[in-house]
């Protein structure tokens, strides 16, 4: 046989493909550090295997199963695990990882809102992340969503494939000389701000910690940004303070005909309030690469299944909404940086060096 599949309660937990080559195992004499890679896709293994020879002594076991409470026990015998934004790293999962002897959690992403940091600290497990794999990749995708939702290129493509060349329903608006509001001016937010400036837009921004050295954007209050912007692009982390930042109240403060784009975290937007705003014709266009219900769906082919929730289908039913599946990071350059930084994080932990990318409470 070429593979075997493990099921728990009728849910596929893991599939091991025996036709794939083994991971690099290090050079003789190296201290071997074993990492279990959860939620592995072919493209993940491709980029990690490519860089593995540069980090001797670090070995990865790639499994398709994502990290849940049911699969945490698979980490027995491993020094660390590697997870992504869609993994469940709650208190119960962290406790089970501790029981299995795991000392390191490697997040191959910038976000860590899905990690119980208090539990990790309690059990002495270090959490490391990839703070900046490619800000431009995400920002460019954000602008792609703006253009797609605004100019309806997704609809135009389908119409042309059916030999329908009418322009009905395809009208957009100019971005030139409009106001772009950037919420969060970290590396990705700044990359988006530069792109908007290149389109000839006025750029304003809101951030709890403004970068006063920037001279090509103007910092304003959140209320001022909401009421002034023709385009609002979200680039802030998901925290208790930013959870449902976009809600009925904040939507009511926006200009009619605003374009809203989210490539950060789905929890920044209260989906039911967004849907109500779309129905009330508050938005000219909406572009979403992330959404609240994505954890069980993201990176999975669900085309043959009946989804238990209709929220995503409701969003997709609107003609002015463009959605993608959390792919803002998905470029060759970003995946190379993710693999390189994750491997370096593992090497620094193993060698007792300063953990520059450690996440603490």
């Amino acid at each position: 046989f070429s593979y075997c599949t493990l099921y728990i309660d009728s849910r596929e937990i893991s599939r091991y493909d025996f036709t794939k080559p083994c991971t690099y195992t290090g050079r003789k004499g190296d201290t071997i550090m074993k990492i279990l890679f959860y939620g592995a896709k072919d493209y993940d293994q491709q980029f990690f295997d490519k860089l593995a020879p540069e980090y001797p002594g670090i070995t990865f076991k790639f499994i398709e199963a994502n990290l849940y409470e049911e699969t945490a026990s698979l980490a027995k015998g491993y020094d660390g695990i590697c997870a992504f934004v869609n993994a469940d790293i709650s208190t119960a999962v962290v406790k089970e990882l501790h029981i299995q002897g795991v000392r390191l959690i490697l997040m191959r992403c910038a976000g860590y809102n899905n990690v119980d940091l208090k539990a990790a600290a309690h059990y002495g497990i270090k959490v490391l992340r990839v703070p900046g794999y490619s800000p431009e990749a995400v920002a460019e995708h954000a602008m792609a969503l703006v253009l797609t939702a605004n100019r309806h290129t997704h609809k135009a493509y389908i119409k042309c494939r059916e030999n329908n060349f009418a322009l009905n329903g395809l009208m957009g608006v100019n971005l030139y000389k409009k106001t772009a509001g950037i919420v969060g001016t970290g590396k990705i937010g700044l990359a988006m701000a530069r792109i908007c400036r290149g389109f000839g837009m006025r750029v304003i921004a809101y951030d709890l910690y403004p970068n006063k050295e920037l001279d090509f954007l103007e910092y304003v209050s959140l209320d001022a940004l909401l009421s002034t912007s023709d385009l609002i692009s979200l680039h802030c982390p998901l925290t208790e303070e930013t959870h449902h930042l976009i809600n009925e109240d904040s939507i009511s403060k926006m200009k009619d005909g605003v374009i809203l784009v989210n490539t950060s975290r789905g929890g920044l937007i209260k989906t039911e309030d967004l849907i109500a705003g779309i129905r009330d014709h508050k938005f000219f266009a909406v572009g979403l690469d992330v959404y609240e219900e994505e954890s069980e769906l993201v990176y999975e082919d669900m085309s043959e299944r009946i989804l238990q929730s209709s929220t995503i289908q409701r969003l997709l039913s609107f003609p002015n909404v463009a959605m993608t599946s959390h792919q803002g990071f998905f470029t060759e350059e970003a995946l190379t940086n993710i693999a390189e930084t994750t491997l370096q994080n593992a090497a620094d932990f193993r060698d007792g060096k300063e953990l520059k990318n450690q996440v603490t409470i």
Side-chain angles (χ1 to χ4, degrees):
F1 51 88
S2 60
Y3 65 85
C4 69
T5 306
L6 171 65
Y7 292 90
I8 296 179
D9 294 334
S10 300
R11 182 168 72 174
E12 181 178 318
I13 297 299
S14 181
R15 174 173 292 192
Y16 296 90
D17 190 342
F18 298 111
T19 66
K20 295 180 180 179
C22 295
T23 309
Y24 179 75
T25 57
R27 295 187 302 234
K28 185 177 181 180
D30 290 327
T31 300
I32 302 298
M33 183 178 185
K34 297 172 61 179
I35 306 293
L36 182 61
F37 198 116
Y38 281 95
K41 303 297 182 185
D42 288 343
Y43 49 80
D44 292 313
Q45 185 163 356
Q46 172 189 342
F47 284 89
F48 273 82
D49 280 348
K50 183 179 179 180
L51 292 174
E54 300 178 20
Y55 296 87
I58 299 175
T59 67
F60 279 83
K61 171 69 176 181
F62 295 89
I63 63 173
E64 290 188 19
N66 206 344
L67 180 55
Y68 308 105
E69 189 173 354
E70 303 96 321
T71 60
S73 60
L74 297 175
K76 183 177 181 179
Y78 288 87
D79 301 293
I81 62 100
C82 185
F84 202 48
V85 295
N86 56 333
D88 173 12
I89 316 180
S90 58
T91 303
V93 173
V94 173
K95 180 180 179 181
E96 182 62 30
L97 292 175
H98 167 70
I99 292 172
Q100 301 305 330
V102 171
R103 300 177 294 129
L104 175 66
I105 295 175
L106 295 168
M107 299 301 297
R108 56 185 188 276
C109 54
Y112 50 90
N113 57 282
N114 55 329
V115 183
D116 189 330
L117 295 177
K118 290 183 179 179
H122 174 74
Y123 291 112
I125 299 176
K126 304 294 185 182
V127 180
L128 304 180
R129 67 177 183 131
V130 182
Y133 39 85
S134 179
E136 291 73 23
V138 180
E140 288 170 10
H141 190 73
M143 182 52 76
L145 281 172
V146 173
L147 296 174
T148 298
N150 174 28
R151 302 302 295 269
H152 310 287
T153 48
H154 56 313
K155 294 175 59 179
Y157 172 74
I158 294 172
K159 291 178 67 170
C160 287
R161 287 193 64 180
E162 297 177 350
N163 297 327
N164 180 356
F165 303 104
L167 299 181
N168 300 34
L170 302 181
M171 184 175 292
V173 296
N174 281 13
L175 297 179
Y176 179 63
K177 289 191 176 181
K178 296 293 188 357
T179 298
I182 310 299
V183 180
T185 53
K187 293 180 179 179
I188 298 174
L190 288 180
M192 182 61 173
R194 295 187 185 98
I195 291 172
C196 292
R197 186 189 184 197
F199 272 74
M201 304 183 75
R202 174 195 174 212
V203 183
I204 60 176
Y206 168 76
D207 197 303
L208 290 175
Y209 306 98
N211 187 338
K212 297 180 180 180
E213 297 180 1
L214 302 176
D215 59 359
F216 62 90
L217 58 78
E218 173 189 356
Y219 281 101
V220 298
S221 68
L222 181 59
D223 283 352
L225 184 145
L226 294 171
S227 63
T228 306
S229 300
D230 301 290
L231 161 65
I232 297 175
S233 192
L234 304 180
H235 300 285
C236 54
L238 179 60
T239 64
E240 291 183 6
E241 291 76 18
T242 61
H243 183 250
H244 287 172
L245 179 71
I246 304 301
N247 53 43
E248 182 181 8
D249 179 60
S250 56
I251 290 173
S252 68
K253 298 175 183 178
M254 297 178 186
K255 297 173 63 174
D256 291 339
V258 66
I259 298 174
L260 175 67
V261 173
N262 186 12
T263 55
S264 186
R265 287 292 182 269
L268 296 175
I269 298 177
K270 189 174 182 180
T271 308
E272 291 297 328
D273 291 356
L274 173 65
I275 290 174
I278 295 172
R279 286 176 170 164
D280 291 339
H281 302 282
K282 187 69 175 181
F283 300 95
F284 184 82
V286 175
L288 301 174
D289 187 45
V290 291
Y291 19 92
E292 287 189 288
E293 294 183 348
E294 72 177 35
S295 59
E296 294 293 328
L297 309 178
V298 70
Y299 311 128
E300 301 297 332
D301 182 358
M302 310 292 287
S303 58
E304 300 297 324
R305 304 186 189 182
I306 297 175
L307 302 184
Q308 296 303 307
S309 173
S310 63
T311 302
I312 292 177
Q313 283 72 22
R314 288 159 66 194
L315 285 168
L316 288 170
S317 70
F318 297 115
N320 59 338
V321 174
M323 294 178 64
T324 50
S325 184
H326 208 138
Q327 69 181 74
F329 75 100
F330 202 56
T331 66
E332 291 186 4
E333 292 83 358
L335 286 171
T336 298
N337 291 337
I338 287 172
E340 187 173 40
T341 303
T342 302
L343 285 164
Q344 187 61 55
N345 285 341
D348 289 344
F349 175 83
R350 179 198 60 188
D351 299 337
K353 295 183 178 180
E354 178 186 0
L355 301 179
K356 299 178 181 179
N357 298 320
Q358 182 177 358
V359 181
T360 56
I361 301 174

